Amino acid sequence: MFDSQINRFRNAWRTGVLTILFCFGLMTFSFQPSNSVDGSGLHQNDNPFADFDDSETDVETVDFDDFDDFNDSGFDDDSKSTSLPTESAKSSSESNKERFSKDDSEMMSPFASSEIKSESERSPITISQKNGVLVFEEEVKKKEVSEMTEEDFYKTLTSAEEIILTQKPKTAPELIEAAAMIARTGRPEFAKLLVEKSLTAPGTPEEFAQMIDRLGSNRILYLVANPMIGSQGAVAAELAMKEARKHWESPTFIQNGINLALSGNNPDRAAALIDLRKAGEVAIQRIFEMLLSEKADESEQAKTLFVFLGDSATEALLVALQTENTAQLAKIAQTLGTLQHVDIVPALLARYYDSKPLDDFAKSAIEEAFISQCSVIPSRNEAIEQLRQKTLTYFNRTQTLPQIEQTISLWDWDKESQKPIRQTFSEEAAYRFLTFRYAFQTIAIQENSESLDNEASNLEAFNKDFIMAMISAAEKIIYDSGLDSEPDLDAFLKLFPTVDALQLNAALEFALKTNHLKGGIIPVCLLAKWGDESLCYSLNKPSAVVQAATGPDRRLRYAALKTIAQWNPEKSYIGSSRVWDSLVQLTTASGTRKIIVAMPKIEDIMRVGNYFISQTPRDFSSLSPDKTGQNSSEATKSLLKEQDEKRIKLAEAKMPKQTPKLSDALTSYKDKLAQEQLANEVIPEFQLDLTVENGFVPSEDFLIIPAVTGNDIISIAQNNADVEFIVATSYIKTPDLRVVSQTLQKDYRTSDIPILIGYEEEVRSLWAHEYGVNEPNAIVLPFPYDSESGQWAVRKLYEKTNPQQVPVELRKQQSKWASQTLIQFLTSRYKLYQPTDLDILVRQMISSPFLFNEGLELAEFVATNQTQNYLMKLISENQFDLSVRRQILNSFRQNLQKNGSLLRGPDIIKMYDRYNASETEDQEVQQLLSDMLDAYEAVKK
């Protein structure tokens, strides 16, 4: 048994050995290993350079064509010499050349370059032999991609790029198409060169349209999104769409689309409808003209087309119901009866029941449309309720509007041309527009209702709808004319010619209650003319005007304060002290742009602050809706970006290589504040152009205000009307940033200040989010590390919070007016307001160059030792010009005459000592100090 197993094992082993030897023999026969093979992969005896001396190195430069022949030629092993290529070898060589030109990598010669080039562009190859081994190297110095020219790119085309550039692009559409495709193959730098070339190349609108049809708009937009291509990609994409639109909107193109859509062939109709949608507004207007045509066949064709075109065309018909031509109205109503849209019934109701005249034919057409849509004709009350609900959905922003690239397109009726037109709005402006439309349709039906005088509930409902219409109209007018322009009161009164003071006051209350604060500006401005101080008085809470004067919207607050100042109430009213505080807060604005930077380490504050210098927009038009409610154009944004980049480069050029210590700047600035008698500040403001010698970058009129705790942030923000935003690290405590953001949001003085909460470590991001991600006035981002990231962070902050802050010039105007009003109240209504902290107010206003004169005027009426002592010290300081000190002396003299001397013994001694120490100074200075003593002694006699 055991022996048989051993025999079987031996037989299997013999079989395996024989199999291996058989395979080895086949390999030996196939490869003829009669000679050794060197590292080049050629038999030594078959080497064409075998006659060369191995001890020497010879170099020969040959062309690729020679190598093709050499590589494909046969070798006679028997003769051990190089044989000439046969005809079959030549044909094989030609075939290989062809395959090589087609980039067939499997057939490429082992001597071929790894980069594909045409035969005329191939570089020579240097070949050397050392010890029988061939060494060859292409003498091409590779360039960095950023250094490559267009010629370099063409010399190094990849196989994919060769296919794309088979037809050499010359026109702008061809270049853009090639760039869009090459950008997706991995070399956006090459695409950038083609894009730049396309900007000056010719091209017809039809060629642009055909190019977009071939590529699709998504690939065109890829040029915009690719950061390696830059702003040129956006310019090229905009150019392509603009030129293509010329072709799509041409009468010939639209008419061809209409003819195909009516042909009855389904594939043709589908293609034609796509073309008509490309033409957009122009195509719909053309079909609308066909609908109103006197030719019956054209009108019927248009009805068919409206069925195919969908919601956008239907919305154009809905606004066309506003026409007063009843013949046209009948055709529009008949067409709407055959369509499906959620707004058809409300629009028909608004036209059916409003006060505009309807003939029998138009009325019958609308009734037929009702029957086809909802089987019955709704009653007037049902119509009012439907329209009221539509108004509320847009007023309260509960209905979502479709957006395209953050804009919304809506149809409106142009009364002059008597046709529908398309307008583009921002989201906020679109809601205002639709609220305004439906609110007026609602009250238009109610004004024509006979039941208003009979039922008190209907009258009350009408009043509410009327007030909502007033607020929606006021909002629209304010935004259309510009937030910071004078309110167009005449435009409002044309819409509401019979409005009275009680209705205006009710509208103001409604605006405050629903948080539509901009809608209260026009009512409160009209109340200044038609109302009186009785509207300040109330029983249990501040009246609407007083609430507006102490509310969170600075524009409404300013308008309400002006109204109260014009009334100048004689009796005390609820909230009067807060009215005084609102005026004081406005005076803290001096037109200087300020940012609070809060970090636990004071050394890091200026390092971070430098990243935001000159990064905020010089105006707010690039971040907030403009006066038409639309977003700024891409060209404007691009211009702002270029200006920002220039400021960044200028700032970075002046930045020190090492971050300087802040302690020296802190000390010097505190000393300067002390010298100017302004050391009462809790946290000093660092004006960067005061610290240039310490290495900080000047920032025009920008101030970085440091803070190290949460309490510092709150205190500084509440007492500075010029703070535009806050940058804080997540490490800030006492209190933490959640409490800070909520406190600032609830305070009417700081509710419009956005907060950027930054984190430096990824592990801290969750912690940072806990403190700000859910707050509407805050955003959480990684801390900026350079000027570019600082600019990006600021724009993200403004996009998310949309603070709609008051620009610098208007802040200065408000500050000037508020300081004059404070003086008016102080002199005429001192007992009513009982102001406190007047000494601090005097110091604040005098320290501001913008309010210096008002501060001196206010100081004349403040009967305190602190104010008299403060004026005396300013007169004694040599740092001011003599003319300025004379002004201060006049205020000091007026204060003494009105209030008597309130100076104490040490203060008086200092005044005399200062005069005695002036014997070495100019005669004019001595006379000034002598006049100060005379003013004091005059009231002491």
Side-chain angles (χ1 to χ4, degrees):
M1 182 76 177
F2 181 75
D3 292 337
S4 63
Q5 289 179 352
I6 292 176
N7 291 332
R8 283 196 299 270
F9 176 78
R10 288 174 178 172
N11 292 333
W13 184 82
R14 289 192 188 102
T15 302
V17 170
L18 290 173
T19 303
I20 293 172
L21 292 174
F22 179 76
C23 293
F24 183 78
L26 288 176
M27 293 173 62
T28 304
F29 176 78
S30 176
F31 291 108
Q32 301 179 2
S34 58
N35 299 300
S36 62
V37 181
D38 62 20
S40 67
L42 296 175
H43 294 81
Q44 290 180 356
N45 291 338
D46 293 337
N47 191 339
F49 302 99
D51 296 335
F52 290 178
D53 186 359
D54 291 343
S55 62
E56 297 180 0
T57 300
D58 295 328
V59 177
E60 181 181 359
T61 301
V62 298
D63 194 82
F64 257 107
D65 294 337
D66 298 328
F67 258 88
D68 285 335
D69 291 339
F70 166 71
N71 186 45
D72 295 327
S73 61
F75 300 101
D76 188 353
D77 292 327
D78 295 333
S79 62
K80 297 182 181 180
S81 62
T82 305
S83 63
L84 293 174
T86 62
E87 291 298 323
S88 62
K90 288 182 180 180
S91 63
S92 175
S93 175
E94 295 297 328
S95 175
N96 283 341
K97 286 182 183 180
E98 183 178 354
R99 287 197 299 272
F100 183 82
S101 66
K102 292 182 179 179
D103 191 25
D104 188 344
S105 59
E106 294 181 357
M107 296 298 180
M108 288 174 61
S109 167
F111 301 105
S113 172
S114 61
E115 294 179 345
I116 309 301
K117 300 185 181 127
S118 62
E119 295 183 2
S120 61
E121 294 173 341
R122 291 172 184 165
S123 301
I125 294 179
T126 301
I127 304 173
S128 63
Q129 182 189 25
K130 292 183 179 180
N131 299 323
V133 178
L134 291 179
V135 180
F136 53 92
E137 181 180 0
E138 185 176 0
E139 296 181 350
V140 177
K141 183 179 179 182
K142 292 186 177 180
K143 296 182 179 180
E144 294 292 334
V145 176
S146 59
E147 299 175 352
M148 293 177 69
T149 63
E150 184 180 353
E151 184 179 357
D152 296 330
F153 278 115
Y154 273 103
K155 286 182 178 180
T156 58
L157 290 180
T158 65
S159 57
E161 291 169 349
E162 281 187 338
I163 295 172
I164 294 171
L165 300 174
T166 301
Q167 301 293 334
K168 291 188 177 181
K170 295 180 181 179
T171 66
E174 291 172 348
L175 289 165
I176 293 174
E177 182 176 2
M181 297 178 70
I182 286 176
R184 300 177 69 89
T185 64
R187 289 214 289 183
E189 297 85 1
F190 188 16
K192 181 179 180 180
L193 287 176
L194 296 176
V195 166
E196 291 174 349
K197 197 173 180 181
S198 72
L199 299 180
T200 56
T204 64
E206 185 176 3
E207 290 173 342
F208 277 103
Q210 292 172 352
M211 179 266 292
I212 293 176
D213 289 340
R214 287 192 299 271
L215 284 182
S217 58
N218 288 338
R219 288 194 178 183
I220 295 296
L221 293 177
Y222 183 77
L223 296 175
V224 182
N226 194 318
M228 297 297 295
I229 297 177
S231 60
Q232 292 94 335
V235 174
E238 185 177 356
L239 170 67
M241 295 302 296
K242 181 179 178 181
E243 292 298 313
R245 200 171 290 114
K246 291 179 182 177
H247 173 67
W248 294 330
E249 294 176 355
S250 64
T252 303
F253 183 84
I254 292 174
Q255 191 59 50
N256 289 338
I258 291 173
N259 295 337
L260 278 177
L262 296 171
S263 65
N265 186 311
N266 287 335
D268 289 345
R269 180 186 299 134
L273 291 176
I274 293 174
D275 289 343
L276 291 176
R277 289 191 180 99
K278 291 176 185 176
E281 175 187 353
V282 180
I284 293 176
Q285 288 177 343
R286 171 68 187 114
I287 298 171
F288 181 77
E289 292 173 359
M290 292 173 58
L291 177 67
L292 304 183
S293 172
E294 295 180 358
K295 298 178 181 179
D297 57 340
E298 278 196 3
S299 185
E300 290 301 320
Q301 290 173 352
K303 290 179 182 179
T304 303
L305 290 171
F306 273 113
V307 174
F308 295 149
L309 289 174
D311 287 350
S312 180
T314 304
E315 290 164 4
L317 286 179
L318 292 176
V319 299
L321 287 171
Q322 299 178 42
T323 181
E324 297 182 5
N325 186 321
T326 55
Q328 295 178 352
L329 180 62
K331 291 183 178 181
I332 295 168
Q334 289 171 356
T335 307
L336 286 171
T338 63
L339 304 175
Q340 296 294 323
H341 194 282
V342 68
D343 289 336
I344 289 178
V345 172
L348 289 171
L349 288 171
R351 187 65 179 92
Y352 186 70
Y353 285 113
D354 71 5
S355 57
K356 296 177 183 176
L358 287 175
D359 59 19
D360 293 338
F361 182 60
K363 188 173 182 180
S364 176
I366 295 177
E367 290 173 350
E368 289 177 5
F370 275 133
I371 298 300
S372 65
Q373 291 287 326
C374 52
S375 302
V376 294
I377 301 175
S379 66
R380 182 185 295 273
N381 287 336
E382 289 174 335
I384 292 171
E385 185 59 31
Q386 282 200 39
L387 291 171
R388 180 182 295 138
Q389 292 304 317
K390 291 291 293 184
T391 305
L392 286 172
T393 59
Y394 294 116
F395 187 77
N396 297 325
R397 317 286 167 87
T398 56
Q399 181 167 329
T400 303
L401 298 176
Q403 294 190 36
I404 301 176
E405 298 180 0
Q406 298 182 344
T407 60
I408 297 171
S409 294
L410 299 173
W411 285 97
D412 195 12
W413 180 250
D414 186 8
K415 294 182 178 179
E416 294 183 2
S417 63
Q418 288 293 299
K419 66 180 181 180
I421 58 173
R422 193 84 164 168
Q423 297 189 59
T424 302
F425 299 92
S426 65
E427 183 180 12
E428 294 290 321
Y431 277 117
R432 288 192 299 270
F433 177 81
L434 293 172
T435 302
F436 176 79
R437 175 190 291 175
Y438 284 104
F440 269 82
Q441 289 177 352
T442 304
I443 63 173
I445 295 177
Q446 295 182 60
E447 285 176 339
N448 199 32
S449 175
E450 298 177 356
S451 62
L452 281 179
D453 298 331
N454 301 328
E455 298 182 22
S457 60
N458 288 340
L459 182 59
E460 183 180 357
F462 169 74
N463 288 334
K464 289 182 179 179
D465 294 334
F466 186 77
I467 288 171
M468 187 182 296
M470 290 172 62
I471 294 302
S472 64
E475 273 191 312
K476 187 175 183 301
I477 291 170
I478 285 290
Y479 278 96
D480 287 350
S481 60
L483 286 177
D484 300 311
S485 303
E486 284 295 322
D488 192 348
L489 304 182
D490 292 336
F492 182 83
L493 293 176
K494 286 180 181 178
L495 298 172
F496 305 96
T498 61
V499 71
D500 56 30
L502 291 178
Q503 289 174 325
L504 291 170
N505 192 64
L508 179 58
E509 289 179 345
F510 186 75
L512 294 169
K513 183 179 179 180
T514 58
N515 201 34
H516 285 259
L517 302 179
K518 301 295 190 302
I521 294 176
I522 288 180
V524 83
C525 289
L526 290 173
L527 283 174
K529 299 179 179 180
W530 299 346
D532 55 37
E533 64 178 277
S534 63
L535 294 175
C536 286
Y537 307 131
S538 57
L539 295 176
N540 301 320
K541 63 179 183 179
S543 66
V545 176
V546 176
Q547 289 181 49
T550 58
D553 189 277
R554 195 183 303 193
R555 293 174 178 86
L556 177 59
R557 187 161 73 242
Y558 177 56
L561 287 170
K562 290 182 71 175
T563 298
I564 294 174
Q566 185 168 327
W567 293 340
N568 197 11
E570 296 181 359
K571 297 184 297 182
S572 179
Y573 54 90
I574 298 176
S576 58
S577 61
R578 294 192 66 189
V579 169
W580 177 271
D581 292 340
S582 290
L583 287 168
V584 171
Q585 203 271 340
L586 287 180
T587 62
T588 61
S590 59
T592 302
R593 307 175 73 225
K594 299 176 182 178
I595 295 176
I596 299 175
V597 180
M599 303 186 75
K601 294 182 179 180
I602 196 73
E603 291 81 7
D604 294 335
I605 289 176
M606 294 308 296
R607 175 181 61 83
V608 174
N610 280 335
Y611 299 150
F612 297 97
I613 292 171
S614 301
Q615 302 312 304
T616 52
R618 305 308 299 174
D619 57 50
F620 297 90
S621 60
S622 64
L623 299 176
S624 302
D626 62 15
K627 66 179 182 178
T628 63
Q630 301 176 7
N631 290 331
S632 299
S633 64
E634 292 298 327
T636 303
K637 291 181 181 179
S638 176
L639 179 60
L640 288 173
K641 183 178 180 181
E642 291 178 4
Q643 294 173 351
D644 288 343
E645 288 174 350
K646 289 180 181 178
R647 288 195 293 269
I648 292 169
K649 290 180 181 179
L650 179 62
E652 289 179 342
K654 298 179 180 179
M655 286 182 68
K657 294 182 179 179
Q658 296 181 349
T659 304
K661 294 182 178 179
L662 194 64
S663 55
D664 297 337
L666 249 165
T667 304
S668 63
Y669 194 74
K670 283 185 176 179
D671 291 344
K672 186 173 182 63
L673 292 177
Q675 292 173 3
E676 296 180 0
Q677 306 298 323
L678 300 177
N680 61 313
E681 301 273 4
V682 179
I683 297 292
E685 298 175 351
F686 292 90
Q687 189 164 8
L688 297 186
D689 43 0
L690 294 178
T691 59
V692 173
E693 66 274 9
N694 292 311
F696 297 127
V697 185
S699 61
E700 302 173 12
D701 57 349
F702 211 88
L703 289 177
I704 303 296
I705 309 179
V708 294
T709 68
N711 284 327
D712 291 341
I713 297 174
I714 295 172
S715 175
I716 296 169
Q718 289 173 341
N719 293 284
N720 284 274
D722 284 320
V723 173
E724 295 186 4
F725 68 91
I726 298 167
V727 182
T729 177
S730 56
Y731 290 97
I732 287 293
K733 296 292 185 182
T734 323
D736 61 45
L737 291 178
R738 177 180 296 171
V739 176
V740 170
S741 61
Q742 292 175 355
T743 302
L744 296 181
Q745 183 187 350
K746 293 177 181 178
D747 193 320
Y748 73 93
R749 297 169 294 180
T750 57
S751 61
D752 63 343
I753 301 178
I755 307 172
L756 172 61
I757 300 174
Y759 58 89
E760 295 180 343
E761 304 172 13
E762 193 63 31
V763 72
R764 306 283 299 181
S765 63
L766 294 177
W767 188 12
H769 277 275
E770 289 180 4
Y771 288 120
V773 72
N774 294 322
E775 304 301 330
N777 60 335
I779 188 172
V780 177
L781 292 172
F783 250 132
Y785 55 88
D786 55 22
S787 298
E788 184 177 353
S789 61
Q791 180 181 13
W792 174 83
V794 171
R795 295 192 181 278
K796 282 290 183 183
L797 176 66
Y798 275 80
E799 287 172 4
K800 193 256 184 181
T801 59
N802 189 25
Q804 295 187 344
Q805 293 173 333
V806 174
V808 171
E809 289 303 317
L810 186 55
R811 293 205 298 259
K812 292 169 66 177
Q813 176 184 331
Q814 292 177 352
S815 179
K816 197 84 168 178
W817 174 86
S819 62
Q820 295 168 353
T821 304
L822 285 172
I823 296 171
Q824 172 192 336
F825 284 172
L826 185 63
T827 55
S828 62
R829 298 287 185 264
Y830 183 86
K831 293 182 179 180
L832 189 155
Y833 292 101
Q834 294 294 323
T836 58
D837 298 330
L838 287 177
D839 297 302
I840 296 176
L841 182 60
V842 167
R843 287 170 176 259
Q844 170 197 307
M845 292 173 62
I846 290 179
S847 65
S848 171
F850 182 67
L851 299 177
F852 179 77
N853 293 330
E854 286 75 12
L856 291 181
E857 186 178 354
L858 178 65
E860 296 176 8
F861 301 97
V862 180
T864 63
N865 165 265
Q866 289 88 343
T867 295
Q868 289 188 358
N869 191 34
Y870 178 63
L871 293 175
M872 181 196 71
K873 289 182 178 180
L874 292 178
I875 297 169
S876 303
E877 292 290 342
N878 286 331
Q879 61 181 330
F880 298 110
D881 292 337
L882 200 60
S883 59
V884 174
R885 295 165 72 180
R886 281 284 177 191
Q887 284 183 270
I888 301 172
L889 173 60
N890 185 58
S891 178
F892 179 67
R893 182 183 292 112
Q894 295 295 327
N895 188 297
L896 290 173
Q897 291 175 359
K898 292 175 182 177
N899 305 308
S901 175
L902 300 173
L903 297 172
R904 300 186 180 93
D907 302 327
I908 299 171
I909 292 173
K910 287 181 182 179
M911 185 167 51
Y912 279 93
D913 288 344
R914 179 69 183 88
Y915 172 75
N916 293 331
S918 65
E919 59 181 351
T920 59
E921 299 185 39
D922 294 340
Q923 185 65 33
E924 293 179 344
V925 174
Q926 294 181 23
Q927 184 61 45
L928 173 71
L929 297 175
S930 174
D931 292 342
M932 179 175 63
L933 290 176
D934 291 343
Y936 164 73
E937 292 172 351
V939 300
K940 293 298 291 181
K941 292 181 180 178

